[in-house]
Amino acid sequence: LSKASSNIDPFASVGPGTQVAPDDPNANETWQVTLPLESYVTATPNNTTPQPLQVPVYHTKTGAVMGNLVLQINVTLPTTPPAVTAPAAPTPPPATAATGLVSLMGLDTLMETMGTLPLLDFDTVLIPNDDPPRQRRQQQLKTMGNFISHQYLQSHIATIRTPTAKVLHDRADHYTKALAFHDNNPQAALSSHKDRSPKPFRPSSSRVSVELSGLPFNVHAVTLTMEQGPTTLASSNNNNGGYFPNITCGAPADHARGFDPLFANGPSGGLRRLESKRLEWQQQLSDAHAALIQAVATFFVTARNQNQTIYHISARNPSIANLRWKVFELTQQLHQITWTCAERRANCFSQALGIAVTSYLTAIGSATAASSSMWTHHGYLVSFEGLLSAAGKELGMIEDASVGIAMLKMVTVMLVSDDETPPPTSKVDIVQAPHLKWLHLSTSGVGSATQYILRIGVEAQYHATQLPEALRNGAPVRFYPLLYQVGVDIRQAAAHTQMNLIKQSVNIPASMKGEQIDNNKTAASMMLDDDDDDDGVADTDVLVSLNYEALRKMNSYAHAISPIEQQQQQTTTTVVHPFLFSLHSHIMGSAGKMNHGILDEAATVAQKLGGGGVVFCKSGKDRTAMHVTYKQAQFIHRHMNTATGDNAAVYDDATKMRVYGTRLPICEKNVGQAKYAFNTLQVRFMPDMLKPPVSTLAGFLKGGAVFQKGGGIES
């Protein structure tokens, strides 16, 4: 029952979740009527005119009597057993919620885990039998009904879930048609940087496209091959040539959805921040449950001590009503952020999976019997090296990428012969590939126990003659993902300065604070990449945290494949493997500074461990180009045994590849111009090993002539 003043919408939704001020005279009010139907039906025999009932109406918040309802209810009870009819055809059971998007993305819903009703994203309350306290809480919560309002659920389905389902359905349909009619692409005449159709190459300029948000963008297999010449490598001890593969790409993040709050009072940022907030709200909901249960128990104990017979709690009890209202709000918040995280995970994981599979298939070209056998036993180590800055939108990209990449641990890849293994009916054909025929992704488990199996059908002859024997016949290889992250541009320098000042508690005059903020905005506006002129939050601590997580995982992997004697002692779990001594030193001293040596060492160790390297920045073309060419130059000198500690020769070779190699054509392929999106001011803040030659710079700020003429680095 709702009372509304004349100047507001009388049909506006009311109830839990409605944001109104409690003392607003124009706010909607919720009233409650409690009608004892059982006693009324028993007191009214059949064929008897019922007497009118006068039922008091209470204010939900205050418990005040707002008036009375006069009701007359006609009830007819059956006097004879109902006739026996033929059973109706069984209704097919509804699709299980356990295979929905939330579970598929490796999330436990938390609501069902806590015993909260109604069941929405799982079919059962997921509480272990060996946990009596949680079982007791589940039973207590059951007596209190549902904690999600009809208004919220109706709005959520209509405005969020239904549109999302349509977007996913349309996207899948578009991808399927693109595979079936790839030779008749209407956008085939467009330049690659303008093409927005699903295809093997997706340009970085399309990263905000919702339809393509499940595809990784600007992905390239960058392989440096060195072969024995008559005199070139005469001094080398390695006469078998060199093969150094890397993958370069744009950040696997949900760029299309952005990083602003996606619902009222919701948090901003990427997945790492959102999922942290989700756990925080779960704890708040658990505390609200406990407070409500305690209040209800106290109410009944007090009534019993006063010799009162009470079977329910009326809305006239404002304290319990307010506690229940709080549980409503927190339950709905938790439900909404869980769905938001599931959607973001779907896009980020899909991109990360495409990138990791590309790395794995590329690495097979140089796999030895020893390395392939190691992959089947310990997993394929794929080391992501990020060059994003921990500030503004790029901080959100780091947060998205960290979760999407971590989800790769749920994936196992199997290579099967196309003629020996009947392809599954739900396979996806691989077009324009001579040796790969199809792939099929299946899942098992629910929630955080979800596992993926990716089967790839390989052309029979290639499978039998070219694949390492250890990888044939569906040998399972699981991914072992790592993420190292170091910002290397002017924005990261500003973020470090800002965070260092905060941590040192420096007393800055108000006028200087304003100047500092303006300088940060000016630095952001000097970035050439689009979407970069935001002045969001900075968090350099996340870099240290991510790099330490990656170090810990890489250390475990190194101990597994190359055990050391100290591991037999009881203190071995914290021993740093000798392979990682230098990397450990770099990470431990990295707080508050740009230390590119972390990525340098991580890439070197990953290669020693037989893993693959993936380099990414926001777009995968500028900072990525600087880093991967430096890695290649280092490999050349390691291979030729010319590494003497003098970096001049390495820098010189990196510069040659930046000018004459593949990276400038990749820039043109993405944005229509063979220039790196840097200006001289940005270059000044970059580490020496990553500075591009001046002749390759775009050289204009936003609003400069190059943008006005329509040839912008990023439009």
Side-chain angles (χ1 to χ4, degrees):
L1 299 174
S2 174
K3 175 179 77 73
S5 63
S6 60
N7 60 343
I8 64 173
D9 181 7
F11 297 99
S13 62
V14 296
T18 306
Q19 301 298 320
V20 296
D23 298 325
D24 184 355
N26 294 328
N28 288 347
E29 296 179 1
T30 305
W31 302 346
Q32 182 182 40
V33 172
T34 302
L35 180 62
L37 281 176
E38 292 84 357
S39 58
Y40 175 77
V41 170
T42 303
T44 308
N46 288 342
N47 302 320
T48 302
T49 302
Q51 297 298 315
L53 290 177
Q54 183 171 304
V55 186
V57 181
Y58 301 103
H59 192 288
T60 305
K61 288 280 190 177
T62 65
V65 177
M66 308 302 295
N68 293 279
L69 282 182
V70 179
L71 303 176
Q72 181 172 309
I73 304 176
N74 293 311
V75 180
T76 301
L77 299 177
T79 56
T80 58
V84 178
T85 58
T91 302
T96 173
T99 58
L101 186 65
V102 172
S103 175
L104 195 63
M105 289 300 104
L107 287 172
D108 295 326
T109 66
L110 302 187
M111 283 176 45
E112 283 82 350
T113 306
M114 297 168 70
T116 306
L117 297 176
L119 302 177
L120 296 177
D121 287 304
F122 273 81
D123 299 319
T124 57
V125 178
L126 305 176
I127 295 181
N129 293 328
D130 58 350
D131 195 341
R134 286 174 61 191
Q135 289 180 336
R136 176 173 173 78
R137 171 168 288 196
Q138 172 197 350
Q139 186 60 39
Q140 291 168 331
L141 292 174
K142 270 187 177 181
T143 66
M144 302 181 191
N146 295 332
F147 289 102
I148 282 188
S149 69
H150 175 74
Q151 294 95 333
Y152 164 81
L153 198 57
Q154 190 175 41
S155 173
H156 180 75
I157 292 173
T159 62
I160 298 178
R161 297 234 178 172
T162 299
T164 298
K166 185 179 186 307
V167 167
L168 292 174
H169 181 275
D170 291 347
R171 187 189 302 174
D173 184 61
H174 196 192
Y175 292 178
T176 302
K177 290 179 179 178
L179 290 170
F181 304 104
H182 57 89
D183 292 329
N184 300 317
N185 179 10
Q187 299 190 46
L190 296 176
S191 301
S192 60
H193 68 284
K194 296 181 180 179
D195 191 344
R196 297 295 182 269
S197 62
K199 59 191 306 184
F201 174 73
R202 176 190 171 197
S204 63
S205 53
S206 72
R207 68 176 179 273
V208 295
S209 170
V210 174
E211 189 174 63
L212 302 179
S213 57
L215 302 176
F217 60 92
N218 195 16
V219 181
H220 289 86
V222 184
T223 303
L224 174 66
T225 303
M226 299 184 66
E227 298 181 358
Q228 178 71 50
T231 58
T232 307
L233 301 179
S235 62
S236 173
N237 294 327
N238 185 350
N239 295 322
N240 298 322
Y243 183 84
F244 186 51
N246 281 275
I247 305 302
T248 65
C249 58
D254 199 350
H255 303 270
R257 293 176 66 85
F259 303 96
D260 295 328
L262 298 177
F263 56 91
N265 301 320
S268 60
L271 273 168
R272 190 179 178 93
R273 205 182 321 170
L274 293 176
E275 295 191 0
S276 175
K277 176 61 70 173
R278 179 172 176 258
L279 294 178
E280 178 185 326
W281 284 355
Q282 179 202 18
Q283 184 59 50
Q284 291 179 11
L285 178 57
S286 178
D287 294 342
H289 282 162
L292 177 60
I293 291 170
Q294 182 61 46
V296 169
T298 301
F299 175 85
F300 282 111
V301 169
T302 302
R304 188 180 302 114
N305 291 339
Q306 296 174 355
N307 296 321
Q308 298 179 13
T309 302
I310 296 179
Y311 298 101
H312 74 282
I313 300 177
S314 169
R316 287 173 291 178
N317 189 311
S319 61
I320 292 181
N322 287 334
L323 288 172
R324 193 167 189 270
W325 191 282
K326 184 65 174 178
V327 173
F328 262 92
E329 292 177 338
L330 289 171
T331 301
Q332 291 170 180
Q333 279 186 348
L334 183 60
H335 179 256
Q336 193 152 8
I337 198 172
T338 296
W339 180 255
T340 298
C341 290
E343 283 191 274
R344 292 195 80 96
R345 277 189 170 219
N347 288 329
C348 299
F349 172 61
S350 178
Q351 294 181 41
L353 178 58
I355 295 165
V357 171
T358 303
S359 175
Y360 176 62
L361 295 177
T362 303
I364 288 176
S366 61
T368 63
S371 62
S372 56
S373 176
M374 179 181 68
W375 295 343
T376 59
H377 286 86
H378 304 290
Y380 173 69
L381 185 144
V382 52
S383 178
F384 286 77
E385 301 155 29
L387 298 151
L388 297 167
S389 298
K393 293 180 181 178
E394 290 200 1
L395 175 59
M397 297 175 200
I398 293 173
E399 294 165 340
D400 269 0
S402 65
V403 175
I405 290 168
M407 290 178 66
L408 293 172
K409 66 183 179 181
M410 303 157 61
V411 179
T412 297
V413 183
M414 302 168 64
L415 302 176
V416 298
S417 175
D418 185 43
D419 65 346
E420 294 179 4
T421 304
T425 56
S426 57
K427 67 181 177 66
V428 176
D429 291 326
I430 301 175
V431 300
Q432 300 175 331
H435 305 301
L436 305 179
K437 298 303 181 181
W438 52 264
L439 58 82
H440 177 260
L441 186 66
S442 60
T443 63
S444 62
V446 296
S448 56
T450 298
Q451 295 291 314
Y452 293 88
I453 296 179
L454 179 65
R455 292 177 174 85
I456 302 177
V458 182
E459 189 268 329
Q461 184 176 1
Y462 188 91
H463 181 275
T465 61
Q466 300 298 316
L467 287 184
E469 185 175 358
L471 303 181
R472 299 176 194 168
N473 304 316
V477 174
R478 61 185 176 86
F479 285 139
Y480 197 98
L482 307 172
L483 170 61
Y484 291 96
Q485 169 61 48
V486 175
V488 295
D489 63 7
I490 186 173
R491 182 188 299 280
Q492 187 62 62
H496 280 308
T497 301
Q498 178 185 353
M499 294 297 291
N500 288 338
L501 289 174
I502 292 174
K503 290 181 179 180
Q504 293 170 11
S505 301
V506 175
N507 295 321
I508 305 175
S511 59
M512 291 184 63
K513 289 182 180 178
E515 182 179 352
Q516 175 68 29
I517 294 173
D518 290 341
N519 287 338
N520 286 339
K521 292 183 178 179
T522 302
S525 69
M526 293 177 181
M527 304 296 291
L528 286 178
D529 288 341
D530 65 331
D531 297 341
D532 263 339
D533 50 347
D534 62 300
D535 53 344
V537 66
D539 179 12
T540 59
D541 290 342
V542 72
L543 302 182
V544 178
S545 177
L546 286 172
N547 291 332
Y548 187 77
E549 287 176 19
L551 174 70
R552 178 176 52 80
K553 295 174 183 176
M554 180 176 270
N555 191 52
S556 297
Y557 191 87
H559 280 297
I561 68 171
S562 180
I564 58 176
E565 293 182 2
Q566 290 91 328
Q567 276 194 301
Q568 298 176 0
Q569 302 175 8
Q570 295 199 357
T571 58
T572 56
T573 54
T574 58
V575 171
V576 178
H577 195 281
F579 286 175
L580 280 72
F581 282 165
S582 180
L583 176 59
H584 176 266
S585 177
H586 278 291
I587 292 176
M588 292 301 102
S590 63
K593 62 182 72 173
M594 287 196 301
N595 189 346
H596 180 263
I598 292 173
L599 297 185
D600 191 12
E601 289 293 333
T604 302
V605 175
Q607 186 186 9
K608 286 182 181 179
L609 297 176
V614 176
V615 182
F616 72 91
C617 58
K618 186 182 71 173
S619 62
K621 58 184 177 57
D622 304 307
R623 285 167 282 180
T624 295
M626 302 304 105
H627 180 61
V628 76
T629 50
Y630 177 61
K631 286 179 65 176
Q632 290 171 329
Q634 288 180 302
F635 173 78
I636 291 172
H637 287 268
R638 283 199 304 269
H639 182 76
M640 297 177 64
N641 292 330
T642 58
T644 62
D646 181 6
N647 290 324
V650 177
Y651 293 174
D652 185 58
D653 285 340
T655 297
K656 287 185 174 68
M657 285 186 282
R658 291 163 188 169
V659 177
Y660 303 109
T662 62
R663 300 313 304 186
L664 283 175
I666 287 176
C667 290
E668 184 173 19
K669 186 177 177 182
N670 276 276
V671 295
Q673 188 173 15
K675 294 285 186 180
Y676 297 121
F678 300 123
N679 57 59
T680 54
L681 179 61
Q682 289 173 275
V683 171
R684 190 181 308 170
F685 284 86
M686 297 174 69
D688 290 341
M689 71 284 293
L690 301 185
K691 291 182 177 179
V694 176
S695 62
T696 63
L697 303 183
F700 293 94
L701 301 181
K702 276 191 171 180
V706 74
F707 292 93
Q708 293 174 353
K709 293 178 181 178
I713 297 302
E714 299 268 67
S715 60

